Amino acid sequence: MSEEPIDLSAALARFDQLWSPRIVTRVNDYDVRVAKVAGEHVWHAHDDTDEFFLVLDGELRIALRDGVAEREVVLPRGAVYVVPRGVEHRPSAPGGASILMFEPSGTSSVGDRHDPVPDHVDATTGHRL
Amino acid sequence: MSEEPIDLSAALARFDQLWSPRIVTRVNDYDVRVAKVAGEHVWHAHDDTDEFFLVLDGELRIALRDGVAEREVVLPRGAVYVVPRGVEHRPSAPGGASILMFEPSGTSSVGDRHDPVPDHVDATTGHRL
């Protein structure tokens, strides 16, 4: 937990890797993470936690799958969305985006169940900024 | 938890009351709240939880008191800060601001310990949007 405020734009300027969340601060036993994203992430689900997304820049899409039914939500800059625990989802950002996430510390970026993880996706519980 | 993304600007446009947080969504047993603020809040402390602030618009100041030592952090738009549990603090926004907060559901806006609450401060665990 930082003694001073953290500017999110400055935090994002400190790294370039896509789909590789950085932990900017903690709130109790939750992480606040930021990530730069572009293209597609991987289908995955978190069995034990909801996952909060806030779009800081660009546009994020989140495909959601419930059995065979699939839909997609679109988050412009300044929009928030919570993926409920257990719901299979695949974030994507055709034009690129910067996002902020809240989730319990230790939550894997590819969840508890996932499709094969492509090379461009970092399977991580978040890196230090 | 909403089935659709929530635009934070649209959420903020739905109310005018200052220092009166609205719950926009939940993440597990945490609330994501937004508030419009201007002038001074009240000195208070949350004994059992950290409190996360993100400035969506304007500038937020948070005075922090540890015994007799007092300091103030300044958060421009796009900055985040976590007030650690137990730390007495008083948010203020001389020029007005819109903020997002993340804290356990049921957390009071004036904490567990506080100075007398002035009329312009809403002592609440958050209102529905």
Side-chain angles (χ1 to χ4, degrees), chain A residues 12-59:
Chain A
L12 287 161
R14 290 175 59 179
F15 64 97
D16 289 318
Q17 195 179 352
L18 299 175
W19 301 114
S20 182
R22 262 60 176 176
I23 299 168
V24 291
T25 190
R26 287 190 64 166
V27 186
N28 300 326
D29 52 353
Y30 279 66
D31 287 339
V32 179
R33 304 178 186 174
V34 293
K36 291 177 171 175
V37 303
E40 286 190 353
H41 199 256
V42 63
W43 279 105
H44 68 285
H46 305 278
D47 287 329
D48 299 319
T49 183
D50 304 335
E51 192 172 31
F52 172 89
F53 294 89
L54 163 63
V55 177
L56 300 171
D57 205 11
E59 180 186 271

Side-chain angles (χ1 to χ4, degrees), chain A residues 24-125:
Chain A
V24 291
T25 190
R26 287 190 64 166
V27 186
N28 300 326
D29 52 353
Y30 279 66
D31 287 339
V32 179
R33 304 178 186 174
V34 293
K36 291 177 171 175
V37 303
E40 286 190 353
H41 199 256
V42 63
W43 279 105
H44 68 285
H46 305 278
D47 287 329
D48 299 319
T49 183
D50 304 335
E51 192 172 31
F52 172 89
F53 294 89
L54 163 63
V55 177
L56 300 171
D57 205 11
E59 180 186 271
L60 181 72
R61 294 161 179 262
I62 306 175
L64 303 161
R65 194 160 61 187
D66 182 8
V68 292
E70 190 177 316
R71 71 185 185 104
E72 186 175 66
V73 291
V74 178
L75 287 73
R77 178 179 179 156
V80 304
Y81 188 74
V82 176
V83 177
R85 65 184 67 194
V87 172
E88 295 181 344
H89 59 288
R90 185 191 60 201
S92 68
S98 297
I99 61 177
L100 178 146
M101 288 158 289
F102 288 132
E103 47 205 330
S105 299
T107 299
S108 168
S109 60
V110 297
D112 305 300
R113 296 178 279 124
H114 55 78
D115 280 359
V117 178
D119 286 344
H120 71 275
V121 169
D122 185 15
T124 177
T125 55

Side-chain angles (χ1 to χ4, degrees), chain B residues 47-122:
Chain B
D47 288 328
D48 300 319
T49 182
D50 304 334
E51 191 172 31
F52 171 89
F53 294 89
L54 163 63
V55 177
L56 300 171
D57 205 11
E59 180 186 270
L60 182 71
R61 294 162 177 261
I62 306 175
L64 302 161
R65 195 161 59 187
D66 181 8
V68 292
E70 191 177 316
R71 69 184 186 107
E72 186 173 67
V73 292
V74 178
L75 288 72
R77 178 179 178 157
V80 304
Y81 188 74
V82 176
V83 176
R85 65 184 65 194
V87 171
E88 296 182 342
H89 59 287
R90 184 191 60 202
S92 69
S98 297
I99 61 177
L100 179 145
M101 286 159 291
F102 182 63
E103 50 203 329
S105 300
T107 300
S108 168
S109 60
V110 298
D112 304 300
R113 296 178 279 123
H114 55 78
D115 280 357
V117 179
D119 286 346
H120 70 276
V121 169
D122 185 13

Side-chain angles (χ1 to χ4, degrees), chain B residues 11-73:
Chain B
L12 287 160
R14 289 175 58 179
F15 65 98
D16 289 317
Q17 196 180 351
L18 299 175
W19 300 115
S20 183
R22 263 59 178 176
I23 299 167
V24 292
T25 189
R26 287 190 64 167
V27 187
N28 301 325
D29 52 354
Y30 279 66
D31 287 340
V32 179
R33 304 177 186 175
V34 293
K36 291 176 172 175
V37 303
E40 286 189 353
H41 198 257
V42 63
W43 279 106
H44 68 285
H46 304 277
D47 288 328
D48 300 319
T49 182
D50 304 334
E51 191 172 31
F52 171 89
F53 294 89
L54 163 63
V55 177
L56 300 171
D57 205 11
E59 180 186 270
L60 182 71
R61 294 162 177 261
I62 306 175
L64 302 161
R65 195 161 59 187
D66 181 8
V68 292
E70 191 177 316
R71 69 184 186 107
E72 186 173 67
V73 292

